[in-house]
Amino acid sequence: MRAADLDHLDHAILRMLQEDSRTIAETIGARVGLSAAAVQRRIKRLRANGVIAREVAVLDPEAVGVGMTFIVAVEMEHGQRDVLDAFRKQALADAAVQQCYHVTGRTDFVLVVNCRDLSEFDAFTNRMFFDNCEVRHFTTSVVLDRIKAGLTIPLDGG
């Protein structure tokens, strides 16, 4: 499904679901001017077409004892596809990696990493970077205060 295939009602529904995915179809319908059944059909289509990729519970890291966040810039030794793909797979498989971006510039990847403490982060750096001969260099920033953390996508008209 392309962005052009989404109308203003789809955007309104998506905005509401991004705020709270448990909002019931009746409530959404009342706010956007559709019946609950029409809202349910649209949501089903949005899921089937991959617009709604997943629905998850967003946890407070500190509430579950994972209160340290690190931003890590990673520079690879070689920029070959197989090297980059291997690192992508490694990042995808590691539970500490919350976000991973392949970026332009001097850095090849930027990671957002959550760990319980510095000892856990040290173990993470060993397995992700020091044990990987393709990692040339990495730079870590420790997050002092989480000002805004979210995954909502800005939509037209909102």
Side-chain angles (χ1 to χ4, degrees), residues 13-28 31 39-40 43 47 52 54-58:
I13 291 167
L14 290 168
R15 275 193 296 279
M16 292 180 68
L17 290 175
Q18 283 190 113
E19 288 300 316
D20 183 357
S21 68
R22 296 185 322 166
T23 305
I24 61 172
E26 289 80 6
T27 301
I28 295 171
R31 291 189 188 159
V39 169
Q40 289 170 336
I43 292 172
R47 286 179 180 135
I52 297 174
R54 326 184 277 160
E55 297 170 66
V56 299
V58 178

Side-chain angles (χ1 to χ4, degrees), residues 42-114:
R42 283 176 178 260
I43 292 172
K44 183 177 180 180
R45 177 179 50 86
L46 293 166
R47 286 179 180 135
N49 289 321
V51 175
I52 297 174
R54 326 184 277 160
E55 297 170 66
V56 299
V58 178
L59 307 181
D60 178 343
E62 289 191 26
V64 294
V66 186
M68 295 197 75
T69 302
F70 306 87
I71 310 299
V72 186
V74 183
E75 186 179 340
M76 303 304 289
E77 193 66 47
H78 301 99
Q80 298 159 323
R81 183 185 309 264
D82 61 329
V83 170
L84 300 176
D85 286 346
F87 188 82
R88 282 185 186 97
K89 288 177 185 170
Q90 187 181 9
L92 282 167
D94 199 298
V97 178
Q98 299 305 295
Q99 297 175 48
C100 176
Y101 301 95
H102 183 206
V103 297
T104 62
R106 291 187 68 175
T107 298
D108 293 300
F109 294 94
V110 174
L111 308 178
V112 178
V113 178
N114 285 93

